[in-house]
Amino acid sequence: NPHPHDGIASVVLEFFGRFKPLFSKAEHENLALFILGLLSDTRNKTVAGLARLDALKDHTILSKFLQKRNTGQVFRILREMFFERVNWTQTTYFYLDDTLKEKTGKKVRAEYNYSSTHNKTVLSNCFVIGLAKNNGFSLPFDFAKYFQNACPFKSKLDLAESMMRSFLRWIKPGARVVFVFDSWYACKQIVKFIRSANAFFITRLKSNRKIHASKQRGKQSLEEYAATLGRGVFKKIKLENGKSYYAYSEVFSVNKVGVVKVVFTRKRKHARKTVFLATNDLNMKEHEVIEQYGARWGIEQFFKDLKGEFGFDEYQDVRQLAVSRHITLSFASYSLTALVKIFLEEMRKMPLTVKGALEKIRESLCEVKWVLLARLFRRKIKNAIH
């Protein structure tokens, strides 16, 4: 059997080979050095930190690469890698969310945004991010930085709609698409766009969202309606991950969302707290709605991995284009890790985390770096990876 390190090296070489038509030889070398640096175990993944890691005299080379070289086509290649592996007989998911990175100073144009973690406004940068998933394989599709003082101004909803519109252009006609997002994006603008595209959505609704229960009752909030439900209507549902919930579903006309199937879920039959999930696929089963919305946690783990392992928040530059390109290459390094993860899972026939795949990449690059870099750049680069 071939050694797994040989297979990982092949995946890495094939990945970098896809970007060769976009760059000159020197620029392609800088691209690879930057991504390999982001994959390394160094904790300083700023441009200066990566330059020291790659044994360059200073960080000028990588800095100029970020400032002057357009990396817009990199995302096109990443999307091609995802859709080449899509199984169109299965549902394709698009997870939509936003994240904050606390920053200070005029360099990165920090603005005051509300943080649910701190329960207050903090100086930060806000990013709207879309994650595509099919058949257990997920890759970042796109991102957009939200500015409160942008001209022309675009809200987070506008950025999200533009991102979803771009995603649907890649979808094969007749394929099933489900957008998954939290209660903040469950608004008229987003829902109207999804319905017009004949796609589906799964979202969480706030307890104060108004519904049209019946002519006798008139308008009620979801919380008020849930209080009228007897405990006997809730049925126990066991999910594939072993967790159990109690659920009840009914079709309502919900304010600003339209006619949807609302799933009332509780952790215990006698619990007071009820979580409200909704979908415009009226034929979807309760356990499917709960499982598929629960899978939205994957984008939260995605944010955690990006910030902790792939240098997503290590940008330090005055120019916004350089910031955008740094984040693009951070997504590229995550995508490479996801591809290695799929390779190792297929070879070992067992699941693996992104962090586990990243550790295997670091181990393999330490052993095969001479051959890898010699084949990639036609020469050896000393101390390229530590």
mmCIF file of all heavy atoms in Angstrom, residues 82-128:
data_model
loop_
_atom_site.group_PDB
_atom_site.id
_atom_site.type_symbol
_atom_site.label_atom_id
_atom_site.label_comp_id
_atom_site.label_asym_id
_atom_site.label_seq_id
_atom_site.Cartn_x
_atom_site.Cartn_y
_atom_site.Cartn_z
ATOM 1 N N PHE A 82 -14.823 22.431 -5.734
ATOM 2 C CA PHE A 82 -15.988 21.942 -4.996
ATOM 3 C C PHE A 82 -17.005 21.313 -5.939
ATOM 4 O O PHE A 82 -17.456 20.180 -5.716
ATOM 5 C CB PHE A 82 -16.633 23.094 -4.222
ATOM 6 C CG PHE A 82 -17.940 22.720 -3.580
ATOM 7 C CD1 PHE A 82 -17.966 21.994 -2.402
ATOM 8 C CD2 PHE A 82 -19.147 23.090 -4.165
ATOM 9 C CE1 PHE A 82 -19.169 21.633 -1.813
ATOM 10 C CE2 PHE A 82 -20.350 22.740 -3.585
ATOM 11 C CZ PHE A 82 -20.364 22.000 -2.396
ATOM 12 N N PHE A 83 -17.370 22.021 -7.007
ATOM 13 C CA PHE A 83 -18.447 21.540 -7.863
ATOM 14 C C PHE A 83 -18.025 20.355 -8.727
ATOM 15 O O PHE A 83 -18.888 19.647 -9.247
ATOM 16 C CB PHE A 83 -18.984 22.687 -8.722
ATOM 17 C CG PHE A 83 -19.855 23.637 -7.950
ATOM 18 C CD1 PHE A 83 -19.342 24.835 -7.471
ATOM 19 C CD2 PHE A 83 -21.171 23.317 -7.672
ATOM 20 C CE1 PHE A 83 -20.144 25.714 -6.751
ATOM 21 C CE2 PHE A 83 -21.974 24.179 -6.946
ATOM 22 C CZ PHE A 83 -21.463 25.378 -6.480
ATOM 23 N N GLU A 84 -16.727 20.119 -8.890
ATOM 24 C CA GLU A 84 -16.278 18.906 -9.560
ATOM 25 C C GLU A 84 -16.600 17.663 -8.731
ATOM 26 O O GLU A 84 -16.728 16.568 -9.282
ATOM 27 C CB GLU A 84 -14.769 18.969 -9.808
ATOM 28 C CG GLU A 84 -14.367 19.912 -10.926
ATOM 29 C CD GLU A 84 -12.869 20.102 -11.004
ATOM 30 O OE1 GLU A 84 -12.143 19.523 -10.164
ATOM 31 O OE2 GLU A 84 -12.412 20.833 -11.911
ATOM 32 N N ARG A 85 -16.747 17.835 -7.419
ATOM 33 C CA ARG A 85 -17.008 16.710 -6.526
ATOM 34 C C ARG A 85 -18.461 16.624 -6.069
ATOM 35 O O ARG A 85 -18.799 15.800 -5.224
ATOM 36 C CB ARG A 85 -16.090 16.825 -5.295
ATOM 37 C CG ARG A 85 -14.627 16.598 -5.626
ATOM 38 C CD ARG A 85 -13.709 17.063 -4.512
ATOM 39 N NE ARG A 85 -12.323 16.715 -4.779
ATOM 40 C CZ ARG A 85 -11.527 17.380 -5.608
ATOM 41 N NH1 ARG A 85 -11.992 18.447 -6.244
ATOM 42 N NH2 ARG A 85 -10.291 16.996 -5.815
ATOM 43 N N VAL A 86 -19.309 17.499 -6.597
ATOM 44 C CA VAL A 86 -20.714 17.505 -6.177
ATOM 45 C C VAL A 86 -21.453 16.304 -6.768
ATOM 46 O O VAL A 86 -21.327 15.987 -7.952
ATOM 47 C CB VAL A 86 -21.402 18.817 -6.627
ATOM 48 C CG1 VAL A 86 -22.919 18.697 -6.532
ATOM 49 C CG2 VAL A 86 -20.922 19.970 -5.771
ATOM 50 N N ASN A 87 -22.208 15.641 -5.908
ATOM 51 C CA ASN A 87 -23.116 14.582 -6.337
ATOM 52 C C ASN A 87 -24.498 15.213 -6.484
ATOM 53 O O ASN A 87 -25.178 15.482 -5.490
ATOM 54 C CB ASN A 87 -23.132 13.450 -5.306
ATOM 55 C CG ASN A 87 -24.043 12.304 -5.719
ATOM 56 O OD1 ASN A 87 -24.711 12.358 -6.744
ATOM 57 N ND2 ASN A 87 -24.054 11.245 -4.926
ATOM 58 N N TRP A 88 -24.933 15.450 -7.729
ATOM 59 C CA TRP A 88 -26.150 16.201 -7.968
ATOM 60 C C TRP A 88 -27.401 15.432 -7.580
ATOM 61 O O TRP A 88 -28.498 16.014 -7.546
ATOM 62 C CB TRP A 88 -26.235 16.629 -9.425
ATOM 63 C CG TRP A 88 -25.167 17.608 -9.798
ATOM 64 C CD1 TRP A 88 -24.111 17.400 -10.622
ATOM 65 C CD2 TRP A 88 -25.047 18.960 -9.339
ATOM 66 N NE1 TRP A 88 -23.331 18.525 -10.717
ATOM 67 C CE2 TRP A 88 -23.887 19.506 -9.938
ATOM 68 C CE3 TRP A 88 -25.796 19.771 -8.483
ATOM 69 C CZ2 TRP A 88 -23.472 20.809 -9.712
ATOM 70 C CZ3 TRP A 88 -25.385 21.065 -8.251
ATOM 71 C CH2 TRP A 88 -24.241 21.578 -8.862
ATOM 72 N N THR A 89 -27.292 14.147 -7.292
ATOM 73 C CA THR A 89 -28.457 13.396 -6.817
ATOM 74 C C THR A 89 -28.726 13.663 -5.339
ATOM 75 O O THR A 89 -29.776 13.272 -4.828
ATOM 76 C CB THR A 89 -28.248 11.885 -7.029
ATOM 77 O OG1 THR A 89 -27.109 11.435 -6.257
ATOM 78 C CG2 THR A 89 -28.010 11.577 -8.501
ATOM 79 N N GLN A 90 -27.783 14.320 -4.675
ATOM 80 C CA GLN A 90 -27.956 14.661 -3.273
ATOM 81 C C GLN A 90 -28.131 16.175 -3.114
ATOM 82 O O GLN A 90 -27.791 16.947 -4.003
ATOM 83 C CB GLN A 90 -26.752 14.179 -2.452
ATOM 84 C CG GLN A 90 -26.585 12.671 -2.450
ATOM 85 C CD GLN A 90 -25.556 12.207 -1.446
ATOM 86 O OE1 GLN A 90 -25.110 12.976 -0.606
ATOM 87 N NE2 GLN A 90 -25.172 10.945 -1.529
ATOM 88 N N THR A 91 -28.642 16.553 -1.950
ATOM 89 C CA THR A 91 -28.899 17.967 -1.683
ATOM 90 C C THR A 91 -27.595 18.739 -1.512
ATOM 91 O O THR A 91 -26.662 18.267 -0.863
ATOM 92 C CB THR A 91 -29.748 18.114 -0.410
ATOM 93 O OG1 THR A 91 -30.965 17.370 -0.564
ATOM 94 C CG2 THR A 91 -30.083 19.571 -0.146
ATOM 95 N N THR A 92 -27.539 19.922 -2.103
ATOM 96 C CA THR A 92 -26.410 20.828 -1.915
ATOM 97 C C THR A 92 -26.832 21.925 -0.943
ATOM 98 O O THR A 92 -27.875 22.562 -1.133
ATOM 99 C CB THR A 92 -25.979 21.453 -3.251
ATOM 100 O OG1 THR A 92 -25.657 20.418 -4.176
ATOM 101 C CG2 THR A 92 -24.760 22.346 -3.057
ATOM 102 N N TYR A 93 -26.020 22.136 0.091
ATOM 103 C CA TYR A 93 -26.358 23.094 1.134
ATOM 104 C C TYR A 93 -25.475 24.337 1.019
ATOM 105 O O TYR A 93 -24.323 24.264 0.592
ATOM 106 C CB TYR A 93 -26.176 22.472 2.525
ATOM 107 C CG TYR A 93 -27.099 21.311 2.799
ATOM 108 C CD1 TYR A 93 -26.707 20.009 2.524
ATOM 109 C CD2 TYR A 93 -28.367 21.520 3.322
ATOM 110 C CE1 TYR A 93 -27.561 18.942 2.758
ATOM 111 C CE2 TYR A 93 -29.225 20.454 3.576
ATOM 112 C CZ TYR A 93 -28.809 19.170 3.286
ATOM 113 O OH TYR A 93 -29.654 18.120 3.524
ATOM 114 N N PHE A 94 -26.056 25.450 1.429
ATOM 115 C CA PHE A 94 -25.308 26.701 1.497
ATOM 116 C C PHE A 94 -25.565 27.310 2.870
ATOM 117 O O PHE A 94 -26.685 27.734 3.173
ATOM 118 C CB PHE A 94 -25.757 27.673 0.398
ATOM 119 C CG PHE A 94 -24.919 28.918 0.300
ATOM 120 C CD1 PHE A 94 -23.774 28.938 -0.468
ATOM 121 C CD2 PHE A 94 -25.277 30.075 0.984
ATOM 122 C CE1 PHE A 94 -23.003 30.084 -0.570
ATOM 123 C CE2 PHE A 94 -24.516 31.219 0.891
ATOM 124 C CZ PHE A 94 -23.361 31.225 0.117
ATOM 125 N N TYR A 95 -24.526 27.315 3.711
ATOM 126 C CA TYR A 95 -24.644 27.845 5.064
ATOM 127 C C TYR A 95 -24.200 29.305 5.065
ATOM 128 O O TYR A 95 -23.103 29.629 4.616
ATOM 129 C CB TYR A 95 -23.788 27.028 6.032
ATOM 130 C CG TYR A 95 -24.232 25.587 6.131
ATOM 131 C CD1 TYR A 95 -23.600 24.593 5.396
ATOM 132 C CD2 TYR A 95 -25.290 25.227 6.948
ATOM 133 C CE1 TYR A 95 -24.008 23.278 5.470
ATOM 134 C CE2 TYR A 95 -25.710 23.901 7.036
ATOM 135 C CZ TYR A 95 -25.065 22.934 6.292
ATOM 136 O OH TYR A 95 -25.487 21.634 6.370
ATOM 137 N N LEU A 96 -25.060 30.149 5.574
ATOM 138 C CA LEU A 96 -24.833 31.591 5.550
ATOM 139 C C LEU A 96 -24.739 32.116 6.974
ATOM 140 O O LEU A 96 -25.584 31.814 7.818
ATOM 141 C CB LEU A 96 -25.976 32.282 4.816
ATOM 142 C CG LEU A 96 -25.923 33.797 4.681
ATOM 143 C CD1 LEU A 96 -24.771 34.196 3.762
ATOM 144 C CD2 LEU A 96 -27.242 34.324 4.125
ATOM 145 N N ASP A 97 -23.700 32.892 7.245
ATOM 146 C CA ASP A 97 -23.543 33.477 8.578
ATOM 147 C C ASP A 97 -22.538 34.619 8.489
ATOM 148 O O ASP A 97 -21.893 34.827 7.456
ATOM 149 C CB ASP A 97 -23.059 32.430 9.578
ATOM 150 C CG ASP A 97 -23.478 32.764 11.010
ATOM 151 O OD1 ASP A 97 -23.972 33.887 11.234
ATOM 152 O OD2 ASP A 97 -23.289 31.912 11.909
ATOM 153 N N ASP A 98 -22.410 35.359 9.585
ATOM 154 C CA ASP A 98 -21.405 36.415 9.643
ATOM 155 C C ASP A 98 -20.582 36.254 10.907
ATOM 156 O O ASP A 98 -21.019 35.631 11.876
ATOM 157 C CB ASP A 98 -22.060 37.800 9.607
ATOM 158 C CG ASP A 98 -23.125 37.966 10.683
ATOM 159 O OD1 ASP A 98 -22.767 38.179 11.850
ATOM 160 O OD2 ASP A 98 -24.324 37.887 10.341
ATOM 161 N N THR A 99 -19.400 36.796 10.890
ATOM 162 C CA THR A 99 -18.498 36.689 12.029
ATOM 163 C C THR A 99 -17.768 38.012 12.225
ATOM 164 O O THR A 99 -17.595 38.787 11.278
ATOM 165 C CB THR A 99 -17.482 35.548 11.822
ATOM 166 O OG1 THR A 99 -16.676 35.389 12.990
ATOM 167 C CG2 THR A 99 -16.569 35.830 10.639
ATOM 168 N N LEU A 100 -17.334 38.245 13.456
ATOM 169 C CA LEU A 100 -16.606 39.452 13.804
ATOM 170 C C LEU A 100 -15.166 39.120 14.145
ATOM 171 O O LEU A 100 -14.877 38.063 14.708
ATOM 172 C CB LEU A 100 -17.246 40.157 15.000
ATOM 173 C CG LEU A 100 -18.663 40.710 14.851
ATOM 174 C CD1 LEU A 100 -19.090 41.373 16.154
ATOM 175 C CD2 LEU A 100 -18.753 41.701 13.707
ATOM 176 N N LYS A 101 -14.288 40.023 13.804
ATOM 177 C CA LYS A 101 -12.903 39.954 14.257
ATOM 178 C C LYS A 101 -12.577 41.275 14.930
ATOM 179 O O LYS A 101 -12.584 42.328 14.296
ATOM 180 C CB LYS A 101 -11.935 39.694 13.100
ATOM 181 C CG LYS A 101 -10.473 39.774 13.517
ATOM 182 C CD LYS A 101 -10.171 38.881 14.704
ATOM 183 C CE LYS A 101 -8.777 39.148 15.260
ATOM 184 N NZ LYS A 101 -8.538 38.419 16.513
ATOM 185 N N GLU A 102 -12.320 41.210 16.213
ATOM 186 C CA GLU A 102 -12.030 42.432 16.963
ATOM 187 C C GLU A 102 -10.704 43.017 16.494
ATOM 188 O O GLU A 102 -9.674 42.353 16.515
ATOM 189 C CB GLU A 102 -11.991 42.134 18.463
ATOM 190 C CG GLU A 102 -13.353 41.738 19.036
ATOM 191 C CD GLU A 102 -13.325 41.577 20.534
ATOM 192 O OE1 GLU A 102 -12.637 42.382 21.204
ATOM 193 O OE2 GLU A 102 -13.973 40.645 21.036
ATOM 194 N N LYS A 103 -10.766 44.266 16.060
ATOM 195 C CA LYS A 103 -9.592 44.984 15.576
ATOM 196 C C LYS A 103 -9.671 46.423 16.067
ATOM 197 O O LYS A 103 -10.749 46.962 16.319
ATOM 198 C CB LYS A 103 -9.538 44.969 14.045
ATOM 199 C CG LYS A 103 -9.198 43.620 13.432
ATOM 200 C CD LYS A 103 -7.717 43.324 13.519
ATOM 201 C CE LYS A 103 -7.360 42.070 12.762
ATOM 202 N NZ LYS A 103 -5.909 41.776 12.807
ATOM 203 N N THR A 104 -8.518 47.048 16.193
ATOM 204 C CA THR A 104 -8.475 48.462 16.578
ATOM 205 C C THR A 104 -7.574 49.215 15.611
ATOM 206 O O THR A 104 -6.699 48.634 14.978
ATOM 207 C CB THR A 104 -7.935 48.623 18.011
ATOM 208 O OG1 THR A 104 -6.624 48.019 18.091
ATOM 209 C CG2 THR A 104 -8.855 47.952 19.017
ATOM 210 N N GLY A 105 -7.816 50.518 15.509
ATOM 211 C CA GLY A 105 -6.955 51.356 14.680
ATOM 212 C C GLY A 105 -7.549 51.621 13.316
ATOM 213 O O GLY A 105 -8.449 50.939 12.845
ATOM 214 N N LYS A 106 -7.003 52.642 12.650
ATOM 215 C CA LYS A 106 -7.495 53.049 11.349
ATOM 216 C C LYS A 106 -6.961 52.166 10.230
ATOM 217 O O LYS A 106 -7.475 52.191 9.123
ATOM 218 C CB LYS A 106 -7.108 54.505 11.086
ATOM 219 C CG LYS A 106 -7.770 55.495 12.039
ATOM 220 C CD LYS A 106 -7.376 56.921 11.698
ATOM 221 C CE LYS A 106 -8.060 57.913 12.635
ATOM 222 N NZ LYS A 106 -7.684 59.305 12.336
ATOM 223 N N LYS A 107 -5.920 51.385 10.517
ATOM 224 C CA LYS A 107 -5.318 50.573 9.471
ATOM 225 C C LYS A 107 -6.328 49.626 8.828
ATOM 226 O O LYS A 107 -6.345 49.461 7.618
ATOM 227 C CB LYS A 107 -4.143 49.769 10.041
ATOM 228 C CG LYS A 107 -2.842 50.540 10.123
ATOM 229 C CD LYS A 107 -1.712 49.598 10.488
ATOM 230 C CE LYS A 107 -0.376 50.328 10.441
ATOM 231 N NZ LYS A 107 0.743 49.403 10.729
ATOM 232 N N VAL A 108 -7.123 48.987 9.659
ATOM 233 C CA VAL A 108 -8.060 47.982 9.158
ATOM 234 C C VAL A 108 -9.497 48.492 9.171
ATOM 235 O O VAL A 108 -10.438 47.718 9.086
ATOM 236 C CB VAL A 108 -7.949 46.681 9.982
ATOM 237 C CG1 VAL A 108 -6.621 46.016 9.748
ATOM 238 C CG2 VAL A 108 -8.140 46.957 11.470
ATOM 239 N N ARG A 109 -9.676 49.798 9.323
ATOM 240 C CA ARG A 109 -10.999 50.419 9.284
ATOM 241 C C ARG A 109 -11.973 49.722 10.229
ATOM 242 O O ARG A 109 -13.053 49.285 9.840
ATOM 243 C CB ARG A 109 -11.544 50.409 7.857
ATOM 244 C CG ARG A 109 -10.811 51.342 6.910
ATOM 245 C CD ARG A 109 -11.393 51.286 5.523
ATOM 246 N NE ARG A 109 -12.784 51.738 5.491
ATOM 247 C CZ ARG A 109 -13.515 51.768 4.384
ATOM 248 N NH1 ARG A 109 -12.990 51.373 3.230
ATOM 249 N NH2 ARG A 109 -14.752 52.186 4.423
ATOM 250 N N ALA A 110 -11.576 49.615 11.482
ATOM 251 C CA ALA A 110 -12.435 48.983 12.482
ATOM 252 C C ALA A 110 -13.654 49.843 12.755
ATOM 253 O O ALA A 110 -13.574 51.078 12.795
ATOM 254 C CB ALA A 110 -11.654 48.744 13.768
ATOM 255 N N GLU A 111 -14.807 49.196 12.928
ATOM 256 C CA GLU A 111 -16.058 49.876 13.212
ATOM 257 C C GLU A 111 -16.723 49.214 14.417
ATOM 258 O O GLU A 111 -16.385 48.090 14.789
ATOM 259 C CB GLU A 111 -17.008 49.803 12.010
ATOM 260 C CG GLU A 111 -16.458 50.469 10.770
ATOM 261 C CD GLU A 111 -17.381 50.286 9.575
ATOM 262 O OE1 GLU A 111 -18.009 49.213 9.475
ATOM 263 O OE2 GLU A 111 -17.461 51.203 8.761
ATOM 264 N N TYR A 112 -17.666 49.908 15.003
ATOM 265 C CA TYR A 112 -18.391 49.343 16.138
ATOM 266 C C TYR A 112 -19.510 48.432 15.631
ATOM 267 O O TYR A 112 -20.443 48.877 14.951
ATOM 268 C CB TYR A 112 -18.968 50.455 17.022
ATOM 269 C CG TYR A 112 -17.953 51.059 17.958
ATOM 270 C CD1 TYR A 112 -17.358 52.287 17.665
ATOM 271 C CD2 TYR A 112 -17.561 50.393 19.119
ATOM 272 C CE1 TYR A 112 -16.413 52.844 18.522
ATOM 273 C CE2 TYR A 112 -16.611 50.945 19.973
ATOM 274 C CZ TYR A 112 -16.047 52.162 19.677
ATOM 275 O OH TYR A 112 -15.116 52.704 20.518
ATOM 276 N N ASN A 113 -19.388 47.148 15.964
ATOM 277 C CA ASN A 113 -20.399 46.151 15.622
ATOM 278 C C ASN A 113 -20.845 45.434 16.888
ATOM 279 O O ASN A 113 -20.051 45.251 17.822
ATOM 280 C CB ASN A 113 -19.845 45.121 14.629
ATOM 281 C CG ASN A 113 -19.466 45.749 13.300
ATOM 282 O OD1 ASN A 113 -20.328 46.106 12.507
ATOM 283 N ND2 ASN A 113 -18.171 45.893 13.057
ATOM 284 N N TYR A 114 -22.104 45.022 16.897
ATOM 285 C CA TYR A 114 -22.618 44.330 18.078
ATOM 286 C C TYR A 114 -22.094 42.902 18.124
ATOM 287 O O TYR A 114 -22.144 42.165 17.132
ATOM 288 C CB TYR A 114 -24.150 44.301 18.068
ATOM 289 C CG TYR A 114 -24.719 43.558 19.263
ATOM 290 C CD1 TYR A 114 -24.789 44.165 20.512
ATOM 291 C CD2 TYR A 114 -25.158 42.244 19.130
ATOM 292 C CE1 TYR A 114 -25.296 43.480 21.611
ATOM 293 C CE2 TYR A 114 -25.679 41.554 20.217
ATOM 294 C CZ TYR A 114 -25.740 42.177 21.458
ATOM 295 O OH TYR A 114 -26.235 41.488 22.543
ATOM 296 N N SER A 115 -21.566 42.512 19.282
ATOM 297 C CA SER A 115 -21.040 41.172 19.491
ATOM 298 C C SER A 115 -21.949 40.429 20.462
ATOM 299 O O SER A 115 -22.127 40.857 21.602
ATOM 300 C CB SER A 115 -19.613 41.242 20.053
ATOM 301 O OG SER A 115 -19.174 39.959 20.455
ATOM 302 N N SER A 116 -22.522 39.310 20.006
ATOM 303 C CA SER A 116 -23.359 38.503 20.890
ATOM 304 C C SER A 116 -22.534 37.824 21.968
ATOM 305 O O SER A 116 -23.047 37.500 23.047
ATOM 306 C CB SER A 116 -24.114 37.443 20.074
ATOM 307 O OG SER A 116 -23.206 36.630 19.353
ATOM 308 N N THR A 117 -21.247 37.622 21.698
ATOM 309 C CA THR A 117 -20.371 37.001 22.699
ATOM 310 C C THR A 117 -20.171 37.923 23.891
ATOM 311 O O THR A 117 -20.258 37.493 25.049
ATOM 312 C CB THR A 117 -19.006 36.665 22.074
ATOM 313 O OG1 THR A 117 -19.202 35.831 20.936
ATOM 314 C CG2 THR A 117 -18.118 35.949 23.083
ATOM 315 N N HIS A 118 -19.898 39.201 23.619
ATOM 316 C CA HIS A 118 -19.679 40.176 24.684
ATOM 317 C C HIS A 118 -20.967 40.898 25.101
ATOM 318 O O HIS A 118 -20.965 41.636 26.082
ATOM 319 C CB HIS A 118 -18.645 41.212 24.250
ATOM 320 C CG HIS A 118 -17.316 40.617 23.895
ATOM 321 N ND1 HIS A 118 -16.451 40.113 24.839
ATOM 322 C CD2 HIS A 118 -16.701 40.441 22.696
ATOM 323 C CE1 HIS A 118 -15.350 39.649 24.235
ATOM 324 N NE2 HIS A 118 -15.488 39.849 22.933
ATOM 325 N N ASN A 119 -22.026 40.716 24.313
ATOM 326 C CA ASN A 119 -23.309 41.371 24.567
ATOM 327 C C ASN A 119 -23.169 42.895 24.585
ATOM 328 O O ASN A 119 -23.793 43.582 25.381
ATOM 329 C CB ASN A 119 -23.910 40.870 25.886
ATOM 330 C CG ASN A 119 -25.403 41.164 25.976
ATOM 331 O OD1 ASN A 119 -26.077 41.305 24.953
ATOM 332 N ND2 ASN A 119 -25.916 41.264 27.182
ATOM 333 N N LYS A 120 -22.346 43.402 23.684
ATOM 334 C CA LYS A 120 -22.142 44.838 23.548
ATOM 335 C C LYS A 120 -21.470 45.109 22.211
ATOM 336 O O LYS A 120 -21.041 44.181 21.512
ATOM 337 C CB LYS A 120 -21.294 45.383 24.692
ATOM 338 C CG LYS A 120 -19.873 44.831 24.728
ATOM 339 C CD LYS A 120 -19.061 45.439 25.864
ATOM 340 C CE LYS A 120 -17.633 44.914 25.835
ATOM 341 N NZ LYS A 120 -16.806 45.503 26.921
ATOM 342 N N THR A 121 -21.367 46.384 21.841
ATOM 343 C CA THR A 121 -20.680 46.738 20.612
ATOM 344 C C THR A 121 -19.176 46.778 20.854
ATOM 345 O O THR A 121 -18.713 47.249 21.897
ATOM 346 C CB THR A 121 -21.142 48.104 20.093
ATOM 347 O OG1 THR A 121 -20.934 49.090 21.111
ATOM 348 C CG2 THR A 121 -22.602 48.070 19.698
ATOM 349 N N VAL A 122 -18.413 46.287 19.888
ATOM 350 C CA VAL A 122 -16.957 46.260 19.997
ATOM 351 C C VAL A 122 -16.355 46.745 18.686
ATOM 352 O O VAL A 122 -16.968 46.632 17.614
ATOM 353 C CB VAL A 122 -16.450 44.831 20.320
ATOM 354 C CG1 VAL A 122 -16.922 44.373 21.687
ATOM 355 C CG2 VAL A 122 -16.898 43.838 19.242
ATOM 356 N N LEU A 123 -15.151 47.281 18.765
ATOM 357 C CA LEU A 123 -14.415 47.665 17.557
ATOM 358 C C LEU A 123 -13.989 46.407 16.826
ATOM 359 O O LEU A 123 -13.256 45.571 17.371
ATOM 360 C CB LEU A 123 -13.199 48.505 17.925
ATOM 361 C CG LEU A 123 -13.394 50.025 17.969
ATOM 362 C CD1 LEU A 123 -12.122 50.685 18.478
ATOM 363 C CD2 LEU A 123 -13.762 50.570 16.597
ATOM 364 N N SER A 124 -14.432 46.271 15.596
ATOM 365 C CA SER A 124 -14.190 45.015 14.894
ATOM 366 C C SER A 124 -14.413 45.193 13.401
ATOM 367 O O SER A 124 -14.870 46.239 12.934
ATOM 368 C CB SER A 124 -15.126 43.926 15.431
ATOM 369 O OG SER A 124 -16.474 44.334 15.284
ATOM 370 N N ASN A 125 -14.084 44.146 12.656
ATOM 371 C CA ASN A 125 -14.450 44.014 11.253
ATOM 372 C C ASN A 125 -15.494 42.916 11.148
ATOM 373 O O ASN A 125 -15.379 41.877 11.804
ATOM 374 C CB ASN A 125 -13.241 43.653 10.389
ATOM 375 C CG ASN A 125 -12.251 44.795 10.259
ATOM 376 O OD1 ASN A 125 -11.060 44.572 10.127
ATOM 377 N ND2 ASN A 125 -12.726 46.027 10.299
ATOM 378 N N CYS A 126 -16.491 43.143 10.315
ATOM 379 C CA CYS A 126 -17.579 42.184 10.146
ATOM 380 C C CYS A 126 -17.496 41.559 8.754
ATOM 381 O O CYS A 126 -17.325 42.269 7.761
ATOM 382 C CB CYS A 126 -18.930 42.858 10.346
ATOM 383 S SG CYS A 126 -20.345 41.749 10.172
ATOM 384 N N PHE A 127 -17.621 40.233 8.696
ATOM 385 C CA PHE A 127 -17.554 39.502 7.433
ATOM 386 C C PHE A 127 -18.793 38.625 7.279
ATOM 387 O O PHE A 127 -19.172 37.915 8.207
ATOM 388 C CB PHE A 127 -16.306 38.620 7.366
ATOM 389 C CG PHE A 127 -15.017 39.370 7.426
ATOM 390 C CD1 PHE A 127 -14.397 39.600 8.645
ATOM 391 C CD2 PHE A 127 -14.422 39.847 6.269
ATOM 392 C CE1 PHE A 127 -13.196 40.296 8.715
ATOM 393 C CE2 PHE A 127 -13.225 40.545 6.325
ATOM 394 C CZ PHE A 127 -12.620 40.778 7.548
ATOM 395 N N VAL A 128 -19.399 38.672 6.100
ATOM 396 C CA VAL A 128 -20.471 37.747 5.741
ATOM 397 C C VAL A 128 -19.835 36.633 4.925
ATOM 398 O O VAL A 128 -19.130 36.897 3.946
ATOM 399 C CB VAL A 128 -21.573 38.448 4.929
ATOM 400 C CG1 VAL A 128 -22.670 37.463 4.550
ATOM 401 C CG2 VAL A 128 -22.152 39.612 5.718
#
